[in-house]
Amino acid sequence: MTDGFLSKAYGTREADGVRRLYDDWAATYEAEISENGYATPGRCAAALAQYVTDKAAPVLDFGCGTGLSGLALKLAGFETIDGVDVSPDMLDRAREKNIYRTLTAIDADDDLPAAPGQYNAIAAIGVIGASAAPASSIDDIMHALDPGGFFVLSLNDHALADRIYEAKLCEWIDCGAAHLLFRENGPHLPGINMNANVYVIEKA
């Protein structure tokens, strides 16, 4: 299996570099990660669907990329999906799928464009980790949820190796500000032998 852009994806750190990487990757992103068996969108969407009873309520797809995560959410029964991403070129690809209610370009340093209570569920699928969204994104997302809201996210092997990401998640769980409903390790990109944890947490 190829890992042309994948080999670069985990070494880019600064925000401008991340945006340029994903803009450059937009045209071939889906082909490359599909060739490597990208499993995380389906795993995350299925996990979230176990807990969200109102599938018509809006869901925010944070770091939606070309829309593979939104497509997985749609296939899992979610009806109203908004997407945000730092890459305008990725958003152009997502727009072609006609599955999002809104798509918004954001800067890496921007606050999350979601008012408290606007979403009962937020997804960050294959987004948080090295060369992507920082650990602080977990705080931003949790603050945007009302009590009882759900957050599904994945942390791949690279993110799990850097304890800052799971530690940030545990800050919310250990103090009782959120409840861990689901955690499962499984395939992320099996073509390059990479796994990921999928989590669903509920804001207390």
Side-chain angles (χ1 to χ4, degrees), residues 33-57:
I33 63 170
S34 295
E35 182 183 26
N36 285 283
Y38 191 33
T40 301
R43 292 180 58 215
C44 285
L48 184 63
Q50 294 181 47
Y51 301 100
V52 176
T53 55
D54 183 4
K55 301 295 194 300

Side-chain angles (χ1 to χ4, degrees), residues 131-161:
S131 302
S136 60
S137 299
I138 293 172
D139 289 337
D140 295 339
I141 289 168
M142 291 301 293
H143 288 309
L145 288 172
D146 273 350
F150 300 95
F151 176 30
V152 63
L153 73 154
S154 63
L155 296 177
N156 66 29
D157 287 341
H158 285 290
L160 291 170

Side-chain angles (χ1 to χ4, degrees), residues 10-201:
Y10 304 111
T12 305
R13 297 289 178 176
E14 73 281 359
D16 285 345
V18 170
R19 188 186 66 254
R20 285 195 302 272
L21 169 71
Y22 284 95
D23 279 343
D24 291 346
W25 198 0
T28 59
Y29 174 81
E30 291 192 14
E32 183 172 348
I33 63 170
S34 295
E35 182 183 26
N36 285 283
Y38 191 33
T40 301
R43 292 180 58 215
C44 285
L48 184 63
Q50 294 181 47
Y51 301 100
V52 176
T53 55
D54 183 4
K55 301 295 194 300
V59 177
L60 179 64
D61 185 7
F62 174 78
C64 63
T66 63
L68 291 179
S69 46
L71 180 59
L73 290 166
K74 197 77 164 179
L75 292 173
F78 295 95
E79 299 173 20
T80 308
I81 306 165
D82 296 335
V84 298
D85 201 272
V86 298
S87 167
D89 288 359
M90 287 275 188
L91 288 172
D92 287 342
R93 300 283 171 167
R95 196 167 286 111
E96 294 170 358
K97 291 182 171 59
N98 294 314
I99 56 175
Y100 290 95
R101 180 178 65 172
T102 64
L103 286 166
T104 305
I106 59 173
D107 288 330
D109 297 328
D110 284 351
D111 292 333
L112 189 66
Q118 184 176 354
Y119 299 100
N120 186 53
I122 299 178
I125 300 172
V127 172
I128 296 173
S131 302
S136 60
S137 299
I138 293 172
D139 289 337
D140 295 339
I141 289 168
M142 291 301 293
H143 288 309
L145 288 172
D146 273 350
F150 300 95
F151 176 30
V152 63
L153 73 154
S154 63
L155 296 177
N156 66 29
D157 287 341
H158 285 290
L160 291 170
D162 185 344
R163 297 190 178 186
I164 187 175
Y165 299 101
E166 198 166 36
K168 176 58 71 177
L169 193 61
C170 288
E171 284 181 13
W172 283 87
I173 297 166
D174 292 347
C175 73
H179 307 299
L180 178 65
L181 303 178
F182 180 94
R183 179 175 61 196
E184 178 189 71
N185 187 261
H188 175 59
L189 288 164
I192 57 172
N193 299 311
M194 186 180 294
N195 284 352
N197 280 357
V198 168
Y199 311 80
V200 179
I201 62 176

